[in-house]
Every structure is written in structure tokens, then in C-alpha cells.
């Protein structure tokens, strides 16, 4: 069975943050660089802004190409939930968008004659 590489983007909202949780998240923001940490990676990355309302989690996963063997969206949701649990915050409305990188069509520029 062939494996495919997937980019999974999970989005959601923080829920019922306490003042201590807000302080912890803002402290986490001080040590992060959105341009460096905001992309897709195999480790996964959680990004959010100072408003502490919405967040996104981006991860690259490898899974069988047959969706019955493993669903990258479910794996991405689990990884995002684990990252949020590690920060000790509640969340709601998780949803995942999956892109199969092996199925993407690449449009190459045409040469000028």
C-alpha cells in the first residue's frame, strides 16, 4: 500500500480561558516567531495571536493512501488536541482541512518562444 504525505490544518477556538491561562499563552507568544513557527512541519505547530480567540495547528503526516487504513484528518485532530492539552487550555470547534501533497497538480510556467 502506497503512503501519501498530507498537510493537515486544524482550526478552532479557545474556550473559557482563565486569567492564568491567558497569561501562560501570552508568555508562549513572546518566545515564538510566526514566520518561523507558523508553517507546516512533521512536529506540528500551534499558532494564535494576542486576542486569544482562534488558533490553528499545522502538521505534515504520512499515511496510507487508502482512507480506510488511516485518516489524516482524525490524526491531525488528535495531535492538535494533545498540543492544546499540553498547554492546559480548553478548546472548541476543532475542524481539519487535509491536502494530499502527492495528488497536487503543479502548474509549471510555459516557456516563451
Amino acid at each position: 500500500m502506497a503512503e501519501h504525505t498530507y498537510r493537515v490544518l486544524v482550526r478552532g477556538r479557545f474556550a473559557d480561558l482563565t486569567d492564568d491561562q491567558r497569561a501562560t499563552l501570552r508568555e508562549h507568544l513572546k518566545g515564538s516567531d510566526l514566520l518561523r513557527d507558523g508553517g507546516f512541519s512533521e512536529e506540528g505547530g500551534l499558532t494564535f495571536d494576542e486576542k486569544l480567540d482562534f488558533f490553528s495547528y499545522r502538521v505534515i503526516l504520512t499515511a496510507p493512501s487508502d482512507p480506510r487504513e488511516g485518516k489524516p484528518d482524525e490524526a491531525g485532530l488528535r495531535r492538535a488536541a494533545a498540543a492544546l492539552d499540553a498547554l492546559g487550555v480548553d478548546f472548541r470547534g476543532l475542524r481539519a482541512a487535509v491536502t494530499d501533497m502527492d495528488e497536487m497538480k503543479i502548474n509549471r510556467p510555459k516557456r516563451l518562444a
Side-chain angles (χ1 to χ4, degrees):
M1 175 83 36
E3 287 195 336
H4 283 221
T5 301
Y6 298 93
R7 281 187 172 181
V8 183
L9 172 61
V10 178
R11 294 179 189 223
R13 296 183 82 166
F14 292 111
D16 304 323
L17 294 175
T18 65
D19 290 338
D20 289 341
Q21 289 171 327
R22 288 180 183 280
T24 301
L25 289 172
R26 286 196 175 105
E27 191 65 32
H28 182 72
L29 274 176
K30 289 180 184 176
S32 66
D33 178 5
L34 184 61
L35 294 176
R36 184 191 58 182
D37 302 331
F40 288 89
S41 68
E42 291 180 0
E43 299 82 31
L46 182 68
T47 59
F48 49 91
D49 63 13
E50 292 178 6
K51 293 180 185 177
L52 302 178
D53 190 10
F54 295 95
F55 60 83
S56 65
Y57 180 82
R58 293 172 173 87
V59 65
I60 296 174
L61 299 172
T62 303
S65 60
D66 185 352
R68 294 171 294 187
E69 297 291 325
K71 297 186 177 185
D73 57 340
E74 292 175 3
L77 290 169
R78 285 192 303 273
R79 299 260 313 254
L84 291 160
D85 288 342
L87 287 174
V89 296
D90 291 328
F91 53 90
R92 61 187 164 105
L94 287 185
R95 60 194 181 284
V98 178
T99 303
D100 185 341
M101 301 306 291
D102 296 319
E103 296 293 324
M104 286 187 68
K105 179 180 177 185
I106 299 174
N107 292 324
R108 304 236 186 255
K110 295 181 181 176
R111 295 182 185 219
L112 299 175

